[in-house]
Amino acid sequence: MNYIGLNQRIVEAKDAVVSALDHGFLYGMGLFETFRTYGGVPFLLRRHLDRLADGCKQLGIPFEADEDSLRKWIGQVMAANRLQEAYIRYTVTAGEDILGLPAGAYTQPNQLLYVKELPKVPASLYTEGKPLQLLHIPRNTPEGPVRLKSLHYMNNILAKRELAGYASAAGGAEGLMLTDKGFIAEGIVSNLFYIKDGILHTPDIAAGILPGITREMVLELAPGAGLRTEEGFYRWEQLLAAEEIFLTNSVQEIVPVTTLWHGTESLMVSGGRSGKNTAELIRLYRERTEGLK
């Protein structure tokens, strides 16, 4: 990544700096969205911007979701980095303010646009899946009524470090966090779904999970795959009885889980391969992306 977008400009990465008094740095007051392109076009950008705008409003950060200008800016930063396709992180920080906790709204936000090459993912990931490791560290509770995709990611980093200590990590496992009450929450960088008796289950937003954009899309696609949907509060034992399990995020899309790990004990899921319902959801999701290529 040679060039970064900073406040509608394109600068060399070494020159992309913000003030030490930026409240994104001092207090984690800022938000970000990650998404990817298909055919050079950002997917579900409007939804990402709407979520970002809602979060900025809660944090008192002035932000106007201008989709057309952002698309243009993204294209320029991608071109500067000679990328045809990209993983994109769009960050809005609160900007510079007093050293202390302000009672009012912010006035000088900063916007940063990072782009990098999409991670290389083998096609086998979507048929053979990945392991899911149950973690000890609990999912922290949101700072407000709904979890925001904020700059405060300590909980996720600590979870990633715990995951690295398990043998399953060598197989590319994702880590699963529970709430402090023992309910299934979400992965370190993913939302979770499981299928049982024709019903697609996913933790309720009230469990403190991130309202993921891909999660939202999957819930919309489910009826087309012949699945009913349910959002609720679930335990690890219910996951052990699931017929199919998968994870979602905006970069890797829909990824089957084919092994569950608890400590050093493992359980195979759906015969060690993607289940038929998961495969159908992957197909329906990709139908949505094909039109962008």
Side-chain angles (χ1 to χ4, degrees), residues 38 43-44 213-214 217-218 221 249-250 253-254 280-290:
Y38 295 88
F43 187 50
L44 301 178
I213 301 299
T214 307
M217 174 61 73
V218 166
L221 293 173
N249 68 35
S250 292
E253 306 168 335
I254 299 169
E280 177 63 8
L281 287 168
I282 292 172
R283 187 189 71 79
L284 291 171
Y285 188 89
R286 290 181 176 170
E287 273 189 357
R288 297 290 184 97
T289 66
E290 282 297 325

